[in-house]
Amino acid sequence: RVLSDTMVEAFSEQLKETEQMPVPLLAEENQNGEFMLRGEQSSEAEQQEGFPQPKPSGQETADNRLWVVASNLDSSLQGFVDKKLVKINLQGDKIEIQLSSKMLFGSGSARLSADARKAFRDIAIIVKPLNNSIHVEGHTDNVPIKTLAYPSNWELSAARAASVVEYLARQGVAPERLAAIGYGEFRPISSNDTEDGRKQNRRVTMVIRAEDAEGAYGAMGAVSPDQGDVPWAESPGGL
């Protein structure tokens, strides 16, 4: 009986200590390919909402420059992004801002809508301090158009791109940085066999090319590098 009571008391103390110890949770992979315990606090960058942080690379400064511009665009156009009217992508040595024609123009028209003017005003504020060239590309679906103003989709897509370029120039973006390009129906991103596919193909894409943008980052609240300009194109992972 004495031995039994002693063992019960000893095991009771061990159980109390075990209950106070943290129990390891299953591991899961985070965005950087690192494994962490489920429920463990993630890094500060992963907790922040908005445009994804750039992955570490040998050209961290160049990647951060790219991320600053894309992140500001994403924040400024968040309302349109949430409605799936605008997409912002980091692709190699460029940033692409894809805008649906649904929000930009009326059917068969190249006149900018009120929503379009608001979006491009916001874009102009961010890109105006940069030195990068900006190509504005007009795209249509494959439904033929033949009007007095626009005999084909070539003319319509080019006119829409030109309308955007002209408006950006009026907002203070240097005209020598701008180019208007009309691709018509010949660079689809979806099938023209469905209405949803045709909607996706009717778009305007702004392409911000990878060039030096020193001097812009102070205007956007970012610290520019101490070692001078590093062209974005030198970064293996981005602009």
Side-chain angles (χ1 to χ4, degrees):
R1 188 169 59 251
V2 173
L3 178 61
S4 175
D5 292 342
T6 303
M7 293 180 66
V8 169
E9 182 178 355
F11 279 112
S12 296
E13 291 298 324
Q14 290 182 11
L15 287 172
K16 290 179 181 178
E17 292 177 2
T18 304
E19 289 173 357
Q20 295 174 358
M21 294 176 61
V23 179
L25 302 176
L26 294 176
E28 61 183 1
E29 189 175 4
N30 64 15
Q31 292 179 354
N32 295 324
E34 301 167 345
F35 283 89
M36 59 192 302
L37 294 180
R38 191 169 298 150
E40 182 177 290
Q41 191 78 314
S42 60
S43 67
E44 180 181 351
E46 290 172 347
Q47 293 178 50
Q48 294 177 348
E49 296 182 356
F51 212 81
Q53 287 275 4
K55 293 184 178 181
S57 68
Q59 293 285 346
E60 184 177 357
T61 299
D63 287 344
N64 284 342
R65 287 184 174 191
L66 168 66
W67 183 84
V68 167
V69 178
S71 180
N72 276 273
L73 289 167
D74 184 73
S75 297
S76 183
L77 301 172
Q78 191 62 53
F80 296 112
V81 173
D82 290 344
K83 295 178 182 177
K84 301 188 184 302
L85 296 173
V86 173
K87 294 181 182 177
I88 301 172
N89 298 313
L90 308 182
Q91 294 189 353
D93 62 348
K94 63 188 177 184
I95 299 173
E96 286 192 355
I97 311 169
Q98 184 178 299
L99 305 101
S100 169
S101 289
K102 176 183 176 181
M103 65 169 283
L104 301 180
F105 312 101
S107 179
S109 171
R111 183 175 181 178
L112 292 174
S113 67
D115 281 344
R117 291 193 295 273
K118 180 185 184 307
F120 289 122
R121 278 196 302 269
D122 293 341
I123 291 172
I125 291 171
I126 295 171
V127 303
K128 186 163 53 175
L130 303 175
N131 299 323
N132 303 67
S133 63
I134 301 173
H135 290 180
V136 180
E137 304 171 350
H139 301 269
T140 68
D141 58 26
N142 67 345
V143 177
I145 182 174
K146 190 171 184 180
T147 65
L148 290 176
Y150 310 114
S152 73
N153 283 324
W154 286 109
E155 283 87 354
L156 177 60
S157 63
R160 287 178 168 178
S163 292
V164 174
V165 163
E166 183 184 15
Y167 189 78
L168 290 172
R170 291 208 307 269
Q171 298 303 309
V173 181
E176 60 270 19
R177 294 171 51 203
L178 299 170
I181 304 170
Y183 284 117
E185 66 201 66
F186 299 104
R187 293 202 177 184
I189 57 174
S190 186
S191 171
N192 278 306
D193 295 334
T194 66
E195 178 56 32
D196 184 63
R198 290 190 291 272
K199 284 181 181 178
Q200 294 182 52
N201 291 332
R202 297 191 294 267
R203 68 197 189 279
V204 165
T205 303
M206 287 184 62
V207 182
I208 303 175
R209 296 289 176 182
E211 295 176 21
D212 176 52
E214 182 72 15
Y217 300 93
M220 292 188 287
V223 179
S224 107
D226 296 332
Q227 297 182 350
D229 299 344
V230 180
W232 287 350
E234 293 181 2
S235 169
L239 297 181

